[in-house]
């Protein structure tokens, strides 16, 4: 009995890799519950198709719960980033915060306070140790900020906080990507980035409650609570196992194999998934690679293959921060410009975080089946349309005087802004961590993620410095800048985005080495996996 699977087609006479979830038909012989993969079959996609069926994991086992704990630790690192975004949005509108620092809700002073956080993010590195060091940076930064009496001290604390966040969020996505079993990698890695909402929702709720306090504690309490996720990371991260790829790359091969056996293979080293991963490690990870030299970033640019991978990472880092999401730091001011009072601004800030979170979690549940190209192109186009609608309603509202206002215009403006945030959350929240990690090869992954963080930090700095100044001076017209930019992004994604969905991390090498990686990533062929002999043959192009 045979199983039918699809594979992207190579440029030569052989076939290329296979999408994990593109198994069109699985016919199991009752006497052959497992697929036996012959060692002579070298196609990684076909082997993965067989290994995935034969090497199923028990999601309720103790080993699986350890993997969940690894994912939770990475999630907590991401929470710190999301907490800060919602926190600063809210406390910037608080009366006692403004009395203490006199920065103004919009303008250059606010831009400096917000953007200095991203300057601290421009220097990051890590994995498990990175999460620990970054968490300590967050705690120290919070202590400096919460005890601030001057704007200079507040800005210094924001710099330290951003530095800690950068180190933690460089190590965390790499850690969970490398710890996750291949079958679960898409969902667990995507779940990491939804930690933004795990932080932004509590921050929005806490600031809604403390906004009624008539003292400096209205903004100090939310700031102090920002240290809670980082404190949990400090307390528990060393009780978790190290990444198997990190172990292998640093010469600890047996420890890496023991990890794979225990956490990916149900305790069986002969498990097909374990054998496949071991083979991939031995073929793809160089013990003398540039990742052993902290200063050497050559693996990101020295070949055409590497340059295409780095381009995907660069585009995700740039577009993921320049699609209009920087407006989220000034949610309450956008709601204010549409006629909502202070209390409703805080409520809408909370509701917006909840809506984005639900949308992002739906996207995460679909990541193992969701084509990356279609989502990036369609989702970015929707962001463009929703921002255009928001700009239109905002322009109409701005023409009203003190009386005779059509409240439905303000409501439509807020609704279109909610829809923009939902489109962004569905498109970019799961893929900002997953897509670069899928594109990067093993020895370049940590430095590639660091490059992405640097790009994100640079673009975020521009966003957070310029946005409050622009909103103060040209108001709703600033949104039109992002409308045009999102249209440009849509075109770039259409022509340059490489499809990575469903491939094992190592088998993408053939696609990125092809003359046209975009076209190669969309080509598929029909293959047959013989359950008795592991024989694979291509029968038709698709």
């Amino acid at each position: 009995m045979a199983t039918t699977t699809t594979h992207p087609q190579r440029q030569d006479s052989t076939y290329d890799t296979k999408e994990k979830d593109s198994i069109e038909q699985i016919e199991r012989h009752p006497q052959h519950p497992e697929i036996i993969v012959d060692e002579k079959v070298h196609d990684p996609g076909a082997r993965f198709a067989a290994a995935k069926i034969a090497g199923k994991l028990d999601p309720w086992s103790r080993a699986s719960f350890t993997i969940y704990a690894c994912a939770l630790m990475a999630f907590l690192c991401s929470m710190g980033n999301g907490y800060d975004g919602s926190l600063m949005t809210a406390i910037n509108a608080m009366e006692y915060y403004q009395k203490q620092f006199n920065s103004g809700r919009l303008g250059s002073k606010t831009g400096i306070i917000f953007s200095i956080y991203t300057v601290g993010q421009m220097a990051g590195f890590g994995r498990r140790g990175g999460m620990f060091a970054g968490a300590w940076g967050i705690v120290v930064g919070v202590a400096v900020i919460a005890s601030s009496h001057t704007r200079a001290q507040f800005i210094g604390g924001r710099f330290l906080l951003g530095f800690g966040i950068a180190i933690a969020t460089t190590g965390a996505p790499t850690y969970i990507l490398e710890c996750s079993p291949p079958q679960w990698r898409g969902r667990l890695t995507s779940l990491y980035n939804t930690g933004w909402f795990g932080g932004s929702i509590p921050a929005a709720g806490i600031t809604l409650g403390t906004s009624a306090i008539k003292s400096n504690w209205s903004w100090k309490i939310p700031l102090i609570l920002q240290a809670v996720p980082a404190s949990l990371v400090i307390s528990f991260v060393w009780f978790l196992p190290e990444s198997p790829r990190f172990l292998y790359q640093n010469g600890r091969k047996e420890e890496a194999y023991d990890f794979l056996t225990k956490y990916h293979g149900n305790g069986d080293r002969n498990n097909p998934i374990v054998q496949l991963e071991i083979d991939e490690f031995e073929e793809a990870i160089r013990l003398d690679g540039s990742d052993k030299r902290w200063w050497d970033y050559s693996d990101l640019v020295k070949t055409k293959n590497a340059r295409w991978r780095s381009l995907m990472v660069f585009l995700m880092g740039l577009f993921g921060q320049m699609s209009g999401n920087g407006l989220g730091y000034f949610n309450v001011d956008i709601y204010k410009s549409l006629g909502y009072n202070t209390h409703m601004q805080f409520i809408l800030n909370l509701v917006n975080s909840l809506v984005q979170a639900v949308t992002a979690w739906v996207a995460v549940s679909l990541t193992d089946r969701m084509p990356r190209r279609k989502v990036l192109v369609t989702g970015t186009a929707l962001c463009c349309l929703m921002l255009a609608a928001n700009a239109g309603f905002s322009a109409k509202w701005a023409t009203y005087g003190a009386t005779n206002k059509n409240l439905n215009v303000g409501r439509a403006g807020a609704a279109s802004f909610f829809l923009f945030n939902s489109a962004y959350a569905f498109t970019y929240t799961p893929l900002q961590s997953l897509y670069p990690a899928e594109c990067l090869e093993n020895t370049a992954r940590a430095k590639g993620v660091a490059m992405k963080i640097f790009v994100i930090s640079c673009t975020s700095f521009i966003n957070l410095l310029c946005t409050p100044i622009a909103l103060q001076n040209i108001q709703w017209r600033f949104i039109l800048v992002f409308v045009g930019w999102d249209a440009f992004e849509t075109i770039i994604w259409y022509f340059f985005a490489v499809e990575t969905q469903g491939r094992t991390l190592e088998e993408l090498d053939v696609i990125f080495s092809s003359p046209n990686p975009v076209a190669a990533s969309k080509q598929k062929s029909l293959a047959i996996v013989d359950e008795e002999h592991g024989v694979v043959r291509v029968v038709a192009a698709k």
Side-chain angles (χ1 to χ4, degrees):
M1 192 68 66
T3 65
T4 306
T5 64
T6 61
H7 303 268
Q9 194 172 31
R10 284 193 182 185
Q11 301 298 310
D12 55 23
S13 60
T14 61
Y15 46 80
D16 188 31
T17 54
K18 174 217 160 269
E19 296 187 4
K20 301 174 193 173
D21 295 306
S22 62
I23 298 178
E24 297 176 342
Q25 179 183 358
I26 299 176
E27 301 177 18
R28 291 192 179 191
H29 194 286
Q31 297 179 356
H32 299 279
E34 293 188 342
I35 295 178
I36 308 300
V37 182
D38 194 290
E39 292 183 358
K40 293 181 290 183
V41 179
H42 296 296
D43 179 79
R47 291 190 64 195
F48 184 86
K52 181 179 176 182
I53 298 170
K56 284 188 173 181
L57 292 174
D58 178 7
W60 301 104
S61 67
R62 183 173 181 179
S64 294
F65 274 91
T66 300
I67 296 297
Y68 303 152
C70 294
L72 175 61
M73 205 56 50
F75 186 88
L76 289 171
C77 290
S78 184
M79 279 181 67
N81 219 0
Y83 190 99
D84 186 79
S86 192
L87 167 74
M88 291 305 298
T89 298
I91 69 170
N92 190 52
M94 290 182 179
E95 176 186 357
Y96 285 87
Y97 169 82
Q98 289 296 339
K99 284 183 178 179
Q100 180 70 41
F101 300 109
N102 191 31
S103 61
R105 290 183 61 161
L106 296 173
S108 59
K109 293 179 182 178
T110 296
I112 291 172
I113 289 175
F114 277 54
S115 62
I116 195 68
Y117 168 82
T118 62
V119 175
Q121 286 188 330
M122 292 181 190
F125 43 85
R127 255 194 193 82
R128 188 175 62 159
M131 290 190 288
F132 180 79
W136 268 114
I138 294 169
V139 170
V140 172
V142 166
V144 173
I145 295 169
S147 62
S148 295
H149 294 288
T150 66
R151 192 187 308 142
Q153 183 180 346
F154 194 94
I155 290 173
R158 295 272 302 155
F159 176 86
L160 293 174
L161 176 66
F163 188 77
I165 287 285
I167 298 173
T169 56
T170 298
T174 304
Y175 178 68
I176 188 55
L177 176 89
E178 295 177 349
C179 287
S180 299
Q183 309 97 307
W184 300 350
R185 188 170 288 145
R187 277 166 288 181
L188 289 179
T189 306
S190 298
L191 182 66
Y192 157 78
N193 220 36
T194 66
W196 172 277
F197 304 110
S200 69
I201 292 171
I206 291 166
T207 51
L208 174 62
T210 63
S211 63
I213 299 175
K214 302 300 181 182
S215 72
N216 281 341
W217 287 108
S218 62
W219 58 269
K220 284 191 174 186
I221 290 174
L223 281 169
I224 292 169
L225 293 176
Q226 190 170 10
V228 171
S231 299
L232 292 173
V233 172
I234 291 169
S235 300
F236 296 107
V237 71
W238 294 114
F239 291 99
L240 298 174
E242 184 56 271
S243 149
R245 294 178 192 271
F246 180 84
L247 293 172
Y248 189 96
Q249 288 170 199
N250 286 276
R252 298 158 65 181
K253 294 174 61 173
E254 283 305 312
E255 292 179 64
Y257 295 159
D258 289 344
F259 178 102
L260 296 177
T261 301
K262 182 175 181 179
Y263 297 109
H264 293 187
N266 296 316
D268 178 13
R269 180 160 303 192
N270 294 318
N271 184 292
I273 285 289
V274 174
Q275 290 299 309
L276 179 61
E277 288 189 281
I278 288 175
D279 288 349
E280 288 175 342
F281 278 18
E282 292 177 348
E283 291 172 8
I285 299 178
R286 304 191 305 276
L287 295 178
D288 61 348
S290 69
D291 58 311
K292 308 304 178 298
R293 300 181 293 274
W294 65 267
W295 45 267
D296 188 354
Y297 279 70
S298 62
D299 273 350
L300 297 178
V301 295
K302 67 183 180 182
T303 65
K304 176 188 173 184
N305 178 305
R307 289 190 292 274
W308 263 97
R309 292 174 184 269
S310 295
L311 175 63
M312 296 302 100
V313 176
F314 174 81
L315 290 179
M316 182 57 74
L318 177 65
F319 292 172
Q321 296 302 308
M322 291 293 286
S323 298
N325 53 306
L327 295 167
Y329 268 84
F330 305 95
N331 280 341
V332 293
D333 294 289
I334 290 174
Y335 303 139
K336 180 184 178 183
S337 71
L338 292 167
Y340 290 95
N341 63 33
T342 301
H343 184 66
M344 279 302 300
Q345 292 165 27
F346 280 96
I347 290 176
L348 289 173
N349 185 46
L350 173 59
V351 173
N352 180 60
S353 293
L354 290 168
V355 171
Q356 281 187 276
V358 171
T359 307
W361 287 329
V362 169
V364 166
S365 71
L366 301 173
T367 47
D368 285 337
R369 304 186 299 277
M370 193 166 67
R372 314 308 188 222
R373 277 181 51 84
K374 289 181 180 178
V375 170
L376 288 169
V377 173
T378 305
T380 307
L382 283 174
C383 288
C384 175
L385 293 174
M386 292 303 101
L387 282 179
N390 175 262
F393 290 120
S394 298
K396 180 64 176 176
W397 183 266
T399 64
Y400 294 142
T403 58
N404 299 322
K405 294 180 178 180
N406 184 348
L407 297 181
N408 288 330
V409 172
R411 292 167 185 152
S416 59
F417 191 63
F418 268 55
L419 290 172
F420 157 73
N421 284 316
S422 294
Y424 177 87
F426 189 94
T427 304
Y428 285 99
T429 299
L431 296 183
Q432 265 196 303
S433 293
L434 178 61
Y435 190 64
E438 287 179 334
C439 290
L440 291 163
E441 62 98 10
N442 290 311
T443 57
R445 187 168 297 121
K447 289 177 180 175
V449 171
M451 179 189 75
K452 184 198 75 170
I453 296 292
F454 181 79
V455 172
I456 287 174
S457 300
C458 292
T459 52
S460 295
F461 176 79
I462 296 170
N463 256 329
L464 296 180
L465 180 64
C466 297
T467 297
I469 299 172
L471 288 174
Q472 183 181 54
N473 293 326
I474 60 175
Q475 301 170 354
W476 61 267
R477 297 172 186 83
F478 181 59
I479 296 172
L480 295 175
V481 173
F482 293 108
V483 173
W485 181 258
D486 284 358
F488 169 75
E489 288 183 2
T490 302
I491 295 170
I492 295 299
W493 279 133
Y494 181 82
F495 286 105
F496 290 97
V498 174
E499 182 58 69
T500 60
Q501 186 269 332
R503 279 70 165 178
T504 58
L505 296 174
E506 283 73 17
E507 56 187 331
L508 281 165
D509 188 60
V510 174
I511 288 176
F512 281 111
S513 295
S514 66
N516 187 339
V518 177
S521 72
K522 295 187 289 183
Q523 290 180 350
K524 297 178 182 179
S525 58
L526 190 65
I528 300 297
V529 180
D530 189 297
E531 295 188 6
E532 292 187 28
H533 306 100
V535 177
V536 182
R537 60 190 174 90
V538 177
V539 296
K542 293 184 70 177

